[in-house]
Amino acid sequence: MSDFGAVCKNRQCLFPKPCPNLKVDHSDYLKLLRTLRELPGVKKVFVRSGIRFDYLMADPDDTFFRELVEHHVSGQLKVAPEHTSDHVLALMRKPSFSLFKETKRRFDEICKQASLRYQLIPYFISSHPGCRLQDMADLAVKMKQMGYRLEQIQDFTPTPMTISTEMYYSGIDPTTMQPVHVATTPADKADQRRLFFFYKPDERRAIIDSLRRTGNQRFIPQLFPGRG
């Protein structure tokens, strides 16, 4: 909303970057959590997921982030970067993956300062419109480099009244009218999803075969050293 109460024509408040009119403020949330911590008989109040890390990182005051980690994480905090490929993220109307890496850096820094051994757990989606096998292979490589073995994952499912679903059925980005790749067959979707589990020995053969078949063999030695 504008200062005059008019509705914004473009309601992408956080994409591709935070709107200058957006007032990022976690003070009410922080006040609520502090109140809950002080209730008699309440030992812990945990926030396990539901944090918009792009909104969190847009806050110039990191008091909320620090108190969230120090008092309201049970061991893992789940956030949703959803992909590592910036061109896929742009179709999702999500920020660059570099913002997740900065969020993790800050999360790890707070944990180190507070002597906490907590984890920031990312959630990802395969087969979103615009996502090709090479994008998933790049995701797998990045996760290996960052030391992740993913479990918080999902294959894209069309949902009514979303731009992603428009792209899924039409093969066109409605904002640009440009074609986008869409994985629709069970085989293509399985190939993408399988790359989440690059670390599982029983998935290795199928991953290597799909990468070779699609001309993406350059990723094989990055995922499986000694294999080409």
Side-chain angles (χ1 to χ4, degrees), residues 63-79:
T63 302
F64 172 76
F65 198 173
R66 182 175 293 278
E67 290 200 24
L68 173 70
V69 174
E70 292 179 350
H71 298 286
H72 302 286
V73 174
S74 62
Q76 296 181 343
L77 179 64
K78 300 173 185 177
V79 296

Side-chain angles (χ1 to χ4, degrees), residues 83-87 89 96-98 100-101 104 122 124 134-150 195 198 219 222-223:
H83 215 287
T84 60
S85 168
D86 282 354
H87 84 87
L89 287 166
S96 169
F97 186 65
S98 62
F100 169 77
K101 291 194 287 186
K104 185 179 186 304
F124 291 103
Q134 56 261 43
D135 298 306
M136 291 302 300
D138 183 65
L139 183 153
V141 169
K142 286 185 170 67
M143 291 301 98
K144 183 177 182 179
Q145 292 171 343
M146 297 178 74
Y148 278 113
R149 293 192 171 194
L150 298 177
L195 276 154
F198 63 89
F219 293 104
Q222 298 178 68
L223 291 171

Side-chain angles (χ1 to χ4, degrees), residues 142-207:
K142 286 185 170 67
M143 291 301 98
K144 183 177 182 179
Q145 292 171 343
M146 297 178 74
Y148 278 113
R149 293 192 171 194
L150 298 177
E151 295 179 356
Q152 303 296 318
I153 56 92
Q154 178 184 331
D155 190 63
F156 174 76
T157 302
T159 304
M161 307 298 289
T162 64
I163 292 178
S164 293
T165 296
E166 283 190 53
M167 290 188 284
Y168 178 81
Y169 284 108
S170 70
I172 295 173
D173 178 356
T175 63
T176 64
M177 300 308 294
Q178 295 299 310
V180 295
H181 172 78
V182 182
T184 56
T185 69
D188 287 345
K189 292 170 76 68
D191 281 346
Q192 289 205 18
R193 184 182 176 87
R194 191 176 289 116
L195 276 154
F196 284 134
F197 307 109
F198 63 89
Y199 56 89
K200 294 185 177 182
D202 57 342
E203 298 285 7
R204 184 177 303 167
R205 182 73 264 161
I207 290 173

Side-chain angles (χ1 to χ4, degrees), residues 1-3 8 10-26 52-60:
M1 298 289 286
S2 74
D3 292 337
C8 297
N10 180 8
R11 292 179 290 176
Q12 298 293 333
C13 301
L14 291 165
F15 176 82
K17 59 183 179 180
C19 172
N21 293 321
L22 180 65
K23 297 177 181 178
V24 180
D25 183 5
H26 288 88
R52 282 291 301 254
F53 72 91
D54 46 356
Y55 186 77
L56 177 66
M57 293 298 286
D59 194 336

Side-chain angles (χ1 to χ4, degrees), residues 90-143:
L91 291 170
M92 294 177 172
R93 283 32 173 192
K94 297 280 287 186
S96 169
F97 186 65
S98 62
L99 184 62
F100 169 77
K101 291 194 287 186
E102 176 59 20
T103 305
K104 185 179 186 304
R105 184 200 67 77
R106 182 62 182 135
F107 178 89
D108 291 343
E109 182 179 68
I110 293 171
C111 287
K112 182 177 180 180
Q113 292 169 352
S115 299
L116 300 169
R117 300 183 66 181
Y118 292 164
Q119 294 178 306
L120 189 67
I121 303 298
Y123 166 89
F124 291 103
I125 294 176
S126 60
S127 299
H128 187 278
C131 180
R132 296 179 180 272
L133 193 69
Q134 56 261 43
D135 298 306
M136 291 302 300
D138 183 65
L139 183 153
V141 169
K142 286 185 170 67
M143 291 301 98

